[in-house]
């Protein structure tokens, strides 16, 4: 049965997530009233807790959840929120998850400083408790995320991303953070380097599936298939369904689609036209097949681990990543 909600998975680590929320709020505290006001706003509109869940499940798979696990989850969440705040500034985005972004309410300068504050809080959290392995794992993810973002910007300007370049971009930009969640949770239990690396690999595969699912969601889901949101198209981002469709096209077809993207990406009719083009070239089916391929490879690594409630829940979480509708 398809898992479309995290509610059936969450109870396995429900107490830990509740405790984490208390600790995370404490980690965000500041003596500056404006900063406290903004961080309170951020905490209130946070999403599904997917990343902390990955950290706690990974720790449970490898050993005992402990104080170091909570620090790993906080470090990841601080990093993630900092990157979201900075991304909104870079992309001139004024809404996130249906709410106003920080830069929309408090302007770019404040948003950048808030993102910097969260990054510094994460670094200090790790250094204060001498969590150097966690710091290394998360810093690796930050480096990869920055490289992925810059490569995407470079390629978006020319609209010439190949499939291999696309996979390189999402491995760095998206999958590295998911990998860091799994590796950090594992490292927090004192697991061997080999085990930590295995969990990094499993998380990276899951992260690849996660991003491809996001690509597919931009074309609509469920009953809304055929009603694309067109966000990627408006931003002139080539995602996997379109990349594949272009690679199956004639020179003239490809030239025409690229021209439309360059000159009319903001028009609603463009999203519909490109959706029809992608559908005709079977780009959605191809992307979905690739997503399931990454999911199954992630499951193979999970299935090598001993049975436990954490393993069962992690498997359900993997299913959720590819079956979610938002």
């Amino acid at each position: 049965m398809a898992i479309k909600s995290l509610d059936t998975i969450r109870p396995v680590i429900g107490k830990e997530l509740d405790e984490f929320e208390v600790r995370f709020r404490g980690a965000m505290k500041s003596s500056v009233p404006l900063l406290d006001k903004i961080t309170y706003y951020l905490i209130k509109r946070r999403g599904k807790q997917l990343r902390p869940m990955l950290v706690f499940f990974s720790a449970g798979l490898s050993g005992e959840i402990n104080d170091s696990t909570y620090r790993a989850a906080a470090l990841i969440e601080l990093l993630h929120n900092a990157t979201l705040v900075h991304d909104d500034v870079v992309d001139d985005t004024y809404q996130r998850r249906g709410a106003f972004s920080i830069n929309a309410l408090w302007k770019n300068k404040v948003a950048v400083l808030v993102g910097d504050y969260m990054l510094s809080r994460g670094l200090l959290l790790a250094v204060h408790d001498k969590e150097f392995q966690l710091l290394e794992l998360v810093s690796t993810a930050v480096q990869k995320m920055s490289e992925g973002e810059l490569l995407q910007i470079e390629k978006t300007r020319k609209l010439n991303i190949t499939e291999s370049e696309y996979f390189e971009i999402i491995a760095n930009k998206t999958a590295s953070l998911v990998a860091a969640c799994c590796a950090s949770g594992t490292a927090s239990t004192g697991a061997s380097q080999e085990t930590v690396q295995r969990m990094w690999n499993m998380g990276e595969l899951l992260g690849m599936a996660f991003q491809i699912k996001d690509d597919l969601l931009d074309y609509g889901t469920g009953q809304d298939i055929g009603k694309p949101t067109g966000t990627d198209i408006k931003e002139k981002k080539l995602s996997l369904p379109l990349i594949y469709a272009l690679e199956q096209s004639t020179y003239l077809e490809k030239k025409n689609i690229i021209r439309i993207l360059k000159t009319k990406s903001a028009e609603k009719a463009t999203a519909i036209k490109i959706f029809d083009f992608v559908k005709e070239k079977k780009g959605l089916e191809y992307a979905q097949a690739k997503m399931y391929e990454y999911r199954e490879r992630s499951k193979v690594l999970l299935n090598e681990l001993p049975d436990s409630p954490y393993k069962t829940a992690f498997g359900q979480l993997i299913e959720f990543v590819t079956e979610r509708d938002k």
Side-chain angles (χ1 to χ4, degrees):
M1 185 176 68
I3 304 294
K4 293 196 174 183
S5 169
L6 291 173
D7 292 341
T8 58
I9 308 170
R10 198 183 305 272
V12 177
I13 51 170
K15 291 180 180 178
E16 288 84 356
L17 287 173
D18 290 342
E19 174 67 18
F20 167 72
E21 286 301 313
V22 174
R23 297 192 187 201
F24 184 69
R25 285 195 294 270
M28 295 275 274
K29 274 304 258 186
S30 165
S31 59
V32 178
L34 174 61
L35 194 49
D36 268 352
K37 182 179 180 180
I38 295 171
T39 55
Y40 176 73
Y41 177 77
L42 278 171
I43 288 170
K44 275 207 316 179
R45 66 185 186 94
R46 281 168 59 231
K48 310 180 191 72
Q49 293 183 306
L50 181 61
R51 288 156 191 85
M53 290 176 75
L54 284 166
V55 172
F56 286 114
F57 283 143
S58 297
L61 281 169
S62 310
E64 295 289 331
I65 294 171
N66 55 60
D67 283 342
S68 182
T69 311
Y70 286 99
R71 287 192 285 273
L75 181 54
I76 291 285
E77 196 71 347
L78 284 163
L79 161 68
H80 176 59
N81 279 274
T83 59
L84 292 183
V85 172
H86 284 162
D87 282 351
D88 287 342
V89 173
V90 171
D91 297 335
D92 288 324
T93 302
Y94 297 110
Q95 279 199 332
R96 182 174 289 277
R97 300 192 190 102
F100 287 115
S101 60
I102 301 303
N103 51 308
L105 294 173
W106 286 281
K107 308 302 180 186
N108 284 349
K109 184 175 181 179
V110 171
V112 170
L113 291 171
V114 169
D116 290 346
Y117 173 77
M118 287 189 285
L119 283 172
S120 66
R121 288 296 298 161
L123 294 173
L124 287 171
L125 182 69
V127 172
H128 180 267
D129 292 289
K130 297 181 173 55
E131 299 279 13
F132 300 122
Q133 186 178 15
L134 297 183
L135 187 57
E136 180 182 7
L137 290 167
V138 173
S139 296
T140 299
V142 172
Q143 176 183 324
K144 287 179 174 292
M145 290 164 69
S146 301
E147 290 172 346
E149 188 72 53
L150 287 167
L151 180 57
Q152 184 174 58
I153 290 171
E154 178 188 5
K155 290 296 179 178
T156 298
R157 287 173 180 165
K158 298 179 180 178
L159 293 176
N160 63 345
I161 299 177
T162 64
E163 186 173 323
S164 62
E165 288 169 337
Y166 163 84
F167 285 127
E168 181 184 355
I169 288 169
I170 69 168
N172 286 335
K173 185 180 173 183
T174 303
S176 62
L177 183 58
V178 179
C181 291
C182 298
S184 296
T186 304
S188 74
T189 67
S192 68
Q193 187 58 44
E194 180 183 356
T195 303
V196 171
Q197 184 61 53
R198 176 188 294 271
M199 291 299 289
W200 176 284
N201 295 343
M202 188 173 84
E204 186 173 53
L205 292 167
L206 179 59
M208 299 290 279
F210 184 96
Q211 183 56 55
I212 297 172
K213 179 64 175 181
D214 268 3
D215 289 353
L216 289 166
L217 288 172
D218 203 53
Y219 286 84
T221 58
Q223 294 181 343
D224 291 327
I225 277 288
K227 298 179 182 178
T229 62
T231 302
D232 287 342
I233 293 168
K234 289 175 187 174
E235 296 176 359
K236 300 180 183 178
K237 292 179 181 176
L238 298 186
S239 61
L240 185 57
L242 180 53
I243 291 169
Y244 177 79
L246 289 169
E247 290 179 348
Q248 306 310 304
S249 304
T250 65
Y251 172 78
L252 289 177
E253 285 175 326
K254 184 174 182 178
K255 184 178 179 180
N256 182 50
I257 291 295
I258 296 298
R259 179 186 60 79
I260 293 171
L261 268 177
K262 284 182 175 179
T263 60
K264 300 180 180 180
S265 63
E267 296 180 13
K268 187 175 181 181
T270 297
I272 300 298
K273 185 177 183 65
I274 289 180
F275 175 81
D276 290 341
F277 169 74
V278 168
K279 189 175 180 181
E280 178 191 346
K281 300 295 183 180
K282 301 190 181 302
L284 298 176
E285 292 93 331
Y286 180 79
Q288 189 173 64
K290 282 292 182 182
M291 176 187 72
Y292 286 135
E293 179 184 318
Y294 279 110
R295 184 187 73 179
E296 294 309 307
R297 289 171 61 190
S298 181
K299 280 184 178 180
V300 167
L301 293 180
L302 177 66
N303 289 336
E304 293 174 356
L305 300 172
D307 290 340
S308 72
Y310 298 108
K311 178 180 177 179
T312 301
F314 203 115
Q316 292 173 328
L317 191 149
I318 292 174
E319 291 287 333
F320 166 79
V321 160
T322 56
E323 303 303 325
R324 61 196 165 96
D325 53 17
K326 60 182 178 179

